Amino acid sequence: AWERGDTDTALRHLDRALGVLRKAPESALYQGVLFNKAMVLNDAGRDRAALPLLLQVERLRIRTLGPSHPRIGDTRRLIGEVQAALGQDTAARASLRDAVRLTRESREYGPSHPHTRRAELSLAMFELDHDEPAPETETTATETTATMVALQKLAALPKSDQE
């Protein structure tokens, strides 16, 4: 329903699934449905409602998968995007950088995996939109050039990429 633009129906279906799965929050299925609900909320511009769900997914995934699993990177990416939408720039930058690191360094994903590329793209877009330096760093021409190079690489991904 969400892909067809029917957010309300999608959220109703997701809530129904969560109601059934709530007894097993450690299951990957429950965590995935909760993540998807947050993704739909984010897409609908309801980021304040999405963030607590994502933080819950992150806690559950860390408990079941460990802190360095690439799915934590997927979760951190969406957390970073939501934080950015809410104006939480310092937290967003940290989340997005963490997402890139977790997905890039994992054996399951690695540097060329579509989820790694998605995290890299989210970070690069954030950095372009926020040209003011982070409090602990100074943005340099080299960093800006590196961001542009990263975006150009991502734009040149093979057409066979799933994302």
Side-chain angles (χ1 to χ4, degrees):
W2 168 64
E3 285 112 353
R4 293 187 312 271
D6 191 351
T7 301
D8 292 334
T9 299
L11 290 171
R12 270 195 314 279
H13 290 308
L14 289 164
D15 284 337
R16 188 177 315 143
L18 288 169
V20 170
L21 298 168
R22 208 170 294 282
K23 295 174 185 170
E26 305 297 321
S27 75
L29 187 55
Y30 176 82
Q31 295 166 19
V33 173
L34 196 60
F35 180 89
N36 287 344
K37 180 177 180 180
M39 182 178 61
V40 170
L41 288 167
N42 167 251
D43 187 62
R46 295 167 55 186
D47 296 297
R48 289 199 193 291
L51 187 56
L53 300 180
L54 288 166
L55 295 174
Q56 181 181 358
V57 170
E58 180 183 39
R59 283 189 302 275
L60 290 168
R61 284 181 170 173
I62 288 171
R63 193 163 55 224
T64 58
L65 301 170
S68 60
H69 194 279
R71 280 197 188 151
I72 308 303
D74 294 336
T75 308
R76 297 290 294 159
R77 177 197 49 82
L78 191 52
I79 288 172
E81 291 175 4
V82 167
Q83 290 167 326
L86 293 172
Q88 300 171 3
D89 293 348
T90 301
R93 182 178 279 110
S95 294
L96 292 169
R97 286 179 176 168
D98 201 31
V100 169
R101 180 186 59 78
L102 286 166
T103 56
R104 186 184 288 159
E105 293 176 2
S106 78
R107 287 187 308 243
E108 294 91 345
Y109 287 8
S112 62
H113 192 277
H115 290 217
T116 302
R117 298 295 194 194
R118 176 102 185 251
E120 291 170 342
L121 180 60
S122 291
L123 176 60
M125 295 299 292
F126 175 85
E127 289 179 343
L128 281 178
D129 287 342
H130 298 81
D131 56 5
E132 75 279 355
E136 68 280 356
T137 64
E138 287 294 321
T139 299
T140 65
T142 303
E143 290 169 327
T144 302
T145 300
T147 299
M148 292 301 293
V149 167
L151 284 171
Q152 288 171 340
K153 279 184 182 176
L154 291 168
L157 287 175
K159 302 294 184 224
S160 62
D161 271 356
Q162 298 298 313
E163 299 224 349

